[in-house]
Amino acid sequence: MNYNLLDEKWIPVLYRNGKYDRVGIFQALTDAHRIRQIAASNPMDRVAIFRFLLALLYWCKGNPPDYVSAYAEKSFPDDWFTKLDENRDCFNLFGDGKRFYQYQAKTGEPDKLTANYLMQEIPTGSNWYHFCHSKDKDNGLCPACCAKGLLRLPSFATSGGRGKPPGINSKPPIYIIPLGSCLFESLLLSWQDQKQNDFGEPAWVKPDIQLPAKGKVALLTGLTWLPRRVWLDTPKTDEENCIACGVKAKLIKQSVFAGIGSTKAESVDERRNWDDPHVIYDNKNVLKPNDSLKAYDAASGRWTKLVIGALIQKNAISPHRFIAVSFATVQNDKYIEAKKCEVSFNVNTDSFNPQKAIEKIDYWSKENSKLISRCKPKKSSRKHAEIRPMIDSVRPHIETQVFDKIHALLTGEPEAWEQVAGDYSPMMSVVAQSLAPGYTTVEVQRRREIAAVKPNMKPKIIATDRAGRKKGADA
Ligand SMILES: [Zn+2]
């Protein structure tokens, strides 16, 4: 069976006129100005396919030509991609010759596993208590889903035990993809001049390419490096429904899905140097998703880190519109969670002061962390362990409301913050009834105090906070 990713229709896209289609690589690139976005149902595919198309751009054209940054062309000309045609064999999904993102072991052959390992949301092995029921060797993936699964490996592979390392960013980070009005504009926003011309070799040219033990990782190698050695089985002859997308096709039911051995850098001092274009670095630390199993309100304050991260991005672009996608898992897939949120704050770059915006968001987080202590009765020596779960149960709701208003908060009057702090009031009056249910004067008084608890976002206080207040004093 021949399945070449340049022409076969496997990338799900939404056109600007509302039409949904699946397209090949050629069409995705040459139609990029007509395509609104990659329209995969799993946000991980949106990121993985986008990063792949970006890597193809670098491979075919190198750094962006000057005039492109001025949006002069309005589309990618067909003749930019002749290199793809010349290297057609790199994009074959099956066959005995060269294969896309796959290679075979030099000696011996490990057991085949179900092909469903390529899609994290499809259960495998004995993981059968799921909403989606799947049986190894009976259910399988269509060629399009196999291609998407292979593309997920560089960005989203997690550690799979001995010899099965995670992707280049270790535990998958939060990926930030800047968005334009169409795929063409979105790609341009990420296609930045790298100030050098050595992009390294991508994995479609050399699927078994390894990361250097130390030193700088070249861009194309880093974007496409494969932490697993995959070899897909030949598709079955009868058509069945794909377990991932439901399309009727000749399915791939098994595949080699092997580790590649240790990839640890030589020593701590000589770490590999990889600068990912789509992650947020804060003093060399990479922003990663929280473990949602460990805290009720783990997701509540997440937006603050995302927005601050976007504001300090070295390639901060305007308008600020991006998707943030994360994938988290703990204890060998005890839980898996893929999350996407779209953030948009259309700021005027001349008058907008990112530093001030960051200070306000920081202040909001600080004030939120004080809510529990403010609910405690004065002069009480007890710990009051009952307060935290109460606050944890209302915070996610409030933070979602605040996040929805992010555009107004960043660009509007300072009073906007005071108004969103007021969103706590209806919630806190209910919390007060639970925490102080009695009828004595003391209880009634305490109920009033708890109902009034909220982040203190008075504009004057935010402005003088850094200079004036003593550590630990009440706000
Ligand atoms: Zn499928």
Side-chain angles (χ1 to χ4, degrees):
M1 180 173 165
N2 196 12
Y3 195 94
N4 192 290
L5 299 180
L6 294 180
D7 316 307
E8 294 286 345
K9 291 175 174 289
W10 64 281
I11 303 175
V13 294
L14 179 67
Y15 276 86
R16 291 171 92 174
N17 62 7
K19 190 183 130 203
Y20 168 84
D21 204 356
R22 289 189 182 205
V23 297
I25 293 172
F26 264 131
Q27 200 180 340
L29 288 168
T30 50
D31 266 3
H33 57 295
R34 293 195 198 99
I35 293 170
R36 186 183 151 86
Q37 65 182 54
I38 293 153
S41 55
N42 190 318
M44 292 155 75
D45 292 327
R46 231 176 127 178
V47 170
I49 295 171
F50 183 88
R51 281 160 67 86
F52 172 61
L53 293 177
L54 180 68
L56 287 172
L57 270 178
Y58 277 108
W59 191 58
C60 291
K61 284 304 282 181
N63 284 315
D66 280 345
Y67 58 89
V68 168
S69 54
Y71 287 29
E73 276 291 323
K74 302 270 192 290
S75 67
F76 299 128
D78 297 10
D79 59 2
W80 280 17
F81 305 114
T82 45
K83 193 170 175 181
L84 295 179
D85 222 4
E86 290 159 10
N87 295 275
R88 193 157 263 285
D89 59 335
C90 295
F91 300 93
N92 281 331
L93 203 56
F94 307 109
D96 298 329
K98 194 162 187 171
R99 282 191 183 191
F100 178 76
Y101 275 22
Q102 300 162 67
Y103 61 100
Q104 284 176 301
K106 292 195 176 73
T107 53
E109 198 49 61
D111 291 340
K112 284 179 192 172
L113 298 167
T114 166
N116 298 348
Y117 272 101
L118 286 168
M119 292 262 132
Q120 285 88 342
E121 65 269 38
I122 308 294
T124 49
S126 54
N127 297 331
W128 49 279
Y129 288 108
H130 284 77
F131 289 109
C132 169
H133 294 266
S134 157
K135 218 169 147 195
D136 292 1
K137 297 181 189 173
D138 279 2
N139 298 110
L141 301 173
C142 69
C145 286
C146 286
K148 284 186 277 182
L150 287 168
L151 286 188
R152 283 186 194 179
L153 288 172
S155 305
F156 293 105
T158 52
S159 175
R162 209 186 174 88
K164 291 189 170 179
I168 188 156
N169 291 309
S170 297
K171 188 178 150 192
I174 298 175
Y175 289 99
I176 303 278
I177 309 283
L179 296 178
S181 66
C182 57
L183 181 61
F184 167 74
E185 270 186 35
S186 301
L187 282 166
L188 286 189
L189 288 171
S190 287
W191 192 17
Q192 302 281 334
D193 193 334
Q194 298 294 311
K195 311 280 183 235
Q196 46 116 346
N197 290 313
D198 179 20
F199 298 106
E201 254 186 319
W204 58 81
V205 174
K206 199 172 180 305
D208 58 347
I209 194 163
Q210 290 307 315
L211 295 176
K214 58 181 180 181
K216 193 168 169 56
V217 181
L219 183 74
L220 287 180
T221 308
L223 279 175
T224 62
W225 174 71
L226 300 166
R228 296 288 185 281
R229 177 168 57 78
V230 179
W231 192 262
L232 298 170
D233 244 11
T234 315
K236 299 283 169 200
T237 42
D238 296 333
E239 290 197 341
E240 285 173 80
N241 294 97
C242 166
I243 185 78
C245 71
V247 162
K248 210 159 194 195
K250 290 173 180 166
L251 302 186
I252 296 89
K253 299 200 171 175
Q254 283 190 299
S255 126
V256 174
F257 194 75
I260 58 162
S262 174
T263 56
K264 289 228 162 65
E266 273 191 353
S267 73
V268 185
D269 309 327
E270 295 173 328
R271 287 224 183 114
R272 248 176 237 126
N273 182 5
W274 165 240
D275 196 6
D276 194 294
H278 294 128
V279 309
I280 293 175
Y281 292 98
D282 186 9
N283 294 327
K284 290 259 164 193
N285 290 322
V286 177
L287 188 62
K288 303 206 171 180
N290 289 352
D291 175 356
S292 302
L293 292 185
K294 285 202 180 132
Y296 290 122
D297 68 338
S300 304
R302 177 92 325 212
W303 70 269
T304 57
K305 286 189 181 174
L306 272 182
V307 175
I308 290 177
L311 290 171
I312 58 174
Q313 274 281 66
K314 54 187 184 304
N315 297 332
I317 35 86
S318 179
H320 294 273
R321 186 167 159 250
F322 59 86
I323 52 164
V325 175
S326 65
F327 174 64
T329 169
V330 290
Q331 293 172 15
N332 286 333
D333 303 346
K334 187 172 178 187
Y335 93 103
I336 58 170
E337 181 180 51
K339 268 201 222 172
K340 183 210 95 181
C341 73
E342 187 165 330
V343 184
S344 163
F345 42 97
N346 201 347
V347 293
N348 178 347
T349 36
D350 297 331
S351 59
F352 180 65
N353 182 340
Q355 195 48 43
K356 275 213 169 118
I358 290 171
E359 277 172 23
K360 277 185 193 158
I361 296 171
D362 262 342
Y363 193 84
W364 170 263
S365 303
K366 259 195 243 160
E367 280 291 306
N368 270 281
S369 66
K370 292 177 191 163
L371 295 178
I372 292 168
S373 62
R374 284 182 193 161
C375 286
K376 282 184 188 163
K378 291 184 184 87
K379 293 177 195 162
S380 169
S381 56
R382 204 154 66 75
K383 262 192 171 174
H384 290 278
E386 74 280 11
I387 297 177
R388 177 175 283 279
M390 295 300 293
I391 300 292
D392 282 356
S393 62
V394 300
R395 255 195 81 209
H397 171 69
I398 307 285
E399 294 283 6
T400 307
Q401 285 185 335
V402 177
F403 184 41
D404 283 345
K405 295 173 189 157
I406 188 67
H407 173 73
L409 290 172
L410 292 187
T411 57
E413 298 299 314
E415 285 75 19
W417 283 99
E418 220 182 327
Q419 281 165 14
V420 293
D423 287 352
Y424 266 102
S425 298
M427 289 289 182
M428 290 310 291
S429 63
V430 180
V431 168
Q433 285 170 34
S434 283
L435 290 177
Y439 288 97
T440 59
T441 327
V442 177
E443 287 282 275
V444 172
Q445 175 62 21
R446 193 173 164 230
R447 236 181 352 255
R448 274 197 204 128
E449 284 167 12
I450 294 172
V453 167
K454 62 180 177 185
N456 190 348
M457 299 301 287
K458 286 205 175 99
K460 230 165 64 188
I461 292 178
I462 302 175
T464 56
D465 175 61
R466 272 150 206 273
R469 221 155 43 81
K470 271 189 202 155
K471 209 178 171 187
D474 280 339

